[in-house]
Amino acid sequence: MLGLLGSAGLAAAGLAIAATSVTSAPNLPDMISEAPGPPATHVYRDGRLLMRFDGFVTNNVTAPAELEIFARNPNSQGAMTFVEQRSGGTAVPDGGRQPVVVHEVADGHQHYHLKNAAEYTLWTPDRSRQVALAQKTEAGFCLEDSERWAGNAPQKYSSGNNRFCLQGASYDPGPLTMGISPGWRDIYYAGLSYQWVDVSNVAPGEYQLASRADPTDVIAESDEGNNGHAFRPAVVPGYMPRGLSVGRVEPGQSAALTLSADRFQSQCFDGDFSPSPADKRYCDPGAVRYRITSLPARGTLRQGATALGVGSVLTSGAITYTANAGQRGGDSFTYEAYDSSEPRFPQTRPQAAVAVQVGAPITTVAISGAQPTIVAGLSMQLSALVGNGPGGVTWTASAGTITPGGLFTAPAKPATVTIRATSNDDPSAFAEVTVQVTAAQVQAPAPTTKPRPLIKRLRVGRVGTRLVVAKVTAGPKRGKVRVTATLKRTVLGRCVRNVRAGKTVTCKITLKRSYNLRRVKVTAKLTSGKSSAVRRSFVVTPKKRG
């Protein structure tokens, strides 16, 4: 069902969108954005931290018409050269839109996809800024009526009608028809490839996960105003260090202080990939560790009898600050907190500041929450600690933008950015941090060996018009096979067999009477332990439409 991230090769594919002589628009579908399913996190097999969730492509129950995509004649890159949106079999004027249908194999499906059908993004809690790169922006979808969402419209589109969008190792010339009926939606489960947002470098905390239908407006709709972002709360797990403002410490004197961090826990993903215990670990952070990232200028740090330096790792946040003799003024140092069981994430950790006033009061400023690097165009939340003065500061950035509340949005291109927080009460008191802005790079999954399916093959035949024969070949595991013959929603017969790994069993289902076997579907479900797989086929391949 799912396709590739990224647009490489599409512009060079030489696509020709179907021309139409239709002079008036027919009834149109109405795609709506639905909030993603509850998110969960795990460490992917290529080492990234992913937030995974169910996604939906939905045609509103009040839509005047179905969404239907017709395509044929692929070029040498597997992109269909004739693509048009239809309604009731009639071409919809494209109005400058250019739907793209491409044969793709990276997800293991080896079939055609409609590109640009949805995108997923992660936002700040107030939904004002995006904090992670959009995922699935140009991912493909083999559209079908997977689940009735509302209403009572009949199911019109299924993978059985188009051989799972012309699935095969080579480019099938078509024609191909796929779509979604009014009141129906296509479901993309969390365990499928590309049903994720990469949060490997997102600071731990609470966020908003968003889904948006038809993000590049490739579908002509009756209502173009309900395709905005639909949100659901989400959590990136881990530890976020807390800033600390220490009261006055006289020169030559010491003060005990405690470093601390907020702990964020997310739901653990345990889906189709059956993550190992190491994969599950990061959703439930282990013991916290603290690491000193910069030292004070007017004092020293110790934990017990041990002097602390840059890079010192602490299992406890209890430390002592000792002010140098003969000095006074503002002082500060920084530290980070991380999960000792999974220290890889985030890839650049946020740093918290500890502000200290040495001697007589002087206004001091320190900045917390800064990560050393950020991707171009994304945002991070900063905070200012002001000692010995009113708390207000003025934020400035040498590039990008920053709000009065400290929300920094990086510029669109790589740069080195200096961010300053200046005390409103004492303009001579300020703090600065430097952030490196890097180019956006969407990383595709690392090449992996395609897992062997539980069901290797399903072959369906018939004897006359009353005997259906199904042969099911198991993959690498033994299990129990349940074969069911149905006509629409009516069950015509069942057969249950045990099957050994790599072996084939035969199920014979005798029907009570003769049926039009072009409409009878056979479903084989193999269950092995907690895993299961389903294959479907019609007894007689239906004639292609279009």
Side-chain angles (χ1 to χ4, degrees), residues 455 457-461 469-473 483 504-507:
I455 299 179
R457 183 181 297 111
L458 169 64
R459 291 171 291 177
V460 178
V469 181
K471 293 182 178 292
V472 182
T473 303
V483 178
T504 301
V505 295
T506 300
C507 270

Side-chain angles (χ1 to χ4, degrees), residues 327-342:
Q327 295 187 5
R328 62 185 292 270
D331 202 3
S332 67
F333 65 93
T334 58
Y335 72 98
E336 59 190 21
Y338 61 92
D339 176 5
S340 60
S341 64
E342 187 53 83

Side-chain angles (χ1 to χ4, degrees), residues 67-71 83-86 99 101 114 143 157 176-179 218-219:
L67 164 65
E68 183 171 292
I69 301 295
F70 175 84
V83 182
E84 66 182 10
Q85 180 181 339
R86 291 182 171 182
V101 175
L114 170 68
L143 301 177
Y157 302 97
L176 166 65
T177 301
M178 58 179 166
V218 297
I219 299 170

